[in-house]
């Protein structure tokens, strides 16, 4: 009982402290998509251009098992030099690599099996593998490739060459984090859900991702707000 009381007090203190901080780290946020061109959607453009040999991990919980959704995307105007991962049709996890060549995970998502279930989806360019929950391995195609991604990396939406006119495949899932490691295993980006406490509740720019490596906030670029229903502030940034 004493431990429960201490834990409850710690959580309450974190919530009060975060309310007065510039930014709060959230345990999760849920992406929203009710449009097709960036309107009534949530997405973020980061400052990072991935290498083909990076390892990119995203933890999420799917909330839609019919729509094609992007996890992260870097590619150029002809869809070459792509470092991108999708959930195709809400079920098939697809890794795109090099000249838009693709590999599908043996793990598929379904309403019956995966509603309410968290997964960590991994694109490991250095190993030439894709994983779901450190299992369900698939060989990336091609297995070996060395190039720089064709654009800075977007989260929760696909794009081509960084062009906003090419936005699509907006996400619906609950997002926990996206971590990027280089081929030497060094953490180079760690994007986590974040709330800008200077913004009004429900504002489209209130939430986005915070990179804990560089200490940078990337606000939502869409006009729909991330859903914080059930989410908790777990620290300040």
């Amino acid at each position: 009982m004493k431990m429960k009381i201490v834990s409850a007090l710690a959580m309450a203190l974190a919530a009060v402290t975060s309310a007065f901080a510039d930014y709060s780290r959230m345990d999760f946020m849920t992406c929203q998509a009710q449009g097709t061109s960036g309107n009534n959607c949530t997405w973020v453009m980061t400052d990072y251009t991935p290498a083909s040999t990076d390892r990119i991990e995203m933890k999420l919980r799917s909330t839609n098992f019919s729509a094609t959704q992007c996890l992260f995307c870097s590619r150029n105007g002809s869809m070459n030099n792509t470092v991108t991962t999708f959930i195709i049709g809400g079920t098939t996890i697809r890794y795109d690599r090099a000249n838009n060549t693709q590999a599908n995970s043996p793990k598929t998502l379904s309403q019956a099996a995966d509603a309410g279930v968290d997964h960590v989806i991994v694109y490991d360019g250095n190993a030439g593998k894709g994983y779901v929950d450190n299992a369900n391995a698939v060989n990336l195609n091609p297995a070996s490739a060395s190039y720089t991604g064709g654009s800075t990396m977007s989260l929760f939406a696909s794009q081509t060459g960084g062009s906003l006119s090419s936005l699509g495949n907006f996400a619906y899932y609950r997002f926990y984090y996206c971590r990027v490691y280089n081929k030497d295993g060094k953490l180079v980006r760690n994007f986590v859900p974040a709330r800008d406490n200077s913004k009004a509740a429900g504002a489209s720019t209130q939430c986005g991702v915070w990179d804990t490596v560089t200490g940078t906030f990337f606000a939502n670029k869409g006009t729909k707000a991330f859903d914080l229903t059930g989410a908790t502030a777990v620290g300040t940034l």
Side-chain angles (χ1 to χ4, degrees):
M1 176 64 73
K2 183 178 180 180
M3 290 183 64
K4 290 183 178 179
I5 293 173
V6 171
S7 178
L9 288 172
M11 291 181 65
L13 179 60
V16 171
T17 303
S18 67
F20 293 96
D22 290 337
Y23 297 93
S24 296
R25 179 170 179 170
M26 310 303 294
D27 54 354
F28 65 82
M29 62 186 184
T30 303
C31 304
Q32 303 289 296
Q34 296 178 352
T36 58
S37 61
N39 293 321
N40 289 320
C41 300
T42 51
W43 66 282
V44 170
M45 181 65 81
T46 74
D47 67 339
Y48 184 72
T49 301
S52 62
T53 51
D54 283 349
R55 176 185 173 98
I56 305 174
E57 305 176 355
M58 183 180 284
K59 183 177 180 180
L60 59 80
R61 178 184 297 182
S62 185
T63 62
N64 183 299
F65 298 92
S66 61
T68 293
Q69 304 163 66
C70 183
L71 279 64
F72 52 85
C73 179
S74 171
R75 58 188 183 182
N76 67 18
S78 60
M79 297 180 68
N80 293 335
N81 299 331
T82 181
V83 179
T84 303
T85 297
F86 291 101
I87 303 174
I88 303 296
T91 60
T92 301
I93 299 165
R94 192 184 85 189
Y95 306 95
D96 289 9
R97 184 166 166 88
N99 187 16
N100 200 34
T101 51
Q102 300 151 1
N104 293 337
S105 172
K107 164 66 179 176
T108 58
L109 303 178
S110 71
Q111 178 78 40
D114 298 288
V117 178
D118 298 334
H119 293 294
V120 177
I121 298 175
V122 178
Y123 173 111
D124 192 335
N126 196 41
K129 300 281 188 181
Y131 303 96
V132 180
D133 303 326
N134 205 31
N136 306 287
V138 63
N139 292 326
L140 300 182
N141 182 24
S144 178
S146 180
Y147 58 90
T148 300
S151 68
T152 51
M153 187 171 73
S154 57
L155 301 177
F156 322 129
S158 63
Q159 41 78 30
T160 302
S163 170
L164 303 189
S165 64
S166 65
L167 287 168
N169 303 304
F170 298 98
Y172 294 83
Y173 46 77
R174 176 185 287 190
F175 169 73
Y176 295 93
Y177 63 75
C178 180
R179 298 170 182 162
V180 184
Y181 300 85
N182 67 18
K183 66 179 181 179
D184 298 319
K186 179 182 178 181
L187 181 68
V188 293
R189 292 293 187 276
N190 180 30
F191 300 110
V192 298
R195 182 183 68 201
D196 182 347
N197 294 315
S198 71
K199 304 295 184 183
S204 62
T205 56
Q206 181 193 26
C207 294
V209 299
W210 182 279
D211 173 31
T212 66
V213 177
T214 63
T216 306
F217 179 68
F218 299 93
N220 175 29
K221 292 287 189 180
T223 58
K224 187 77 173 176
F226 285 99
D227 185 3
L228 294 180
T229 301
T232 301
V234 293
T236 59
L237 297 164

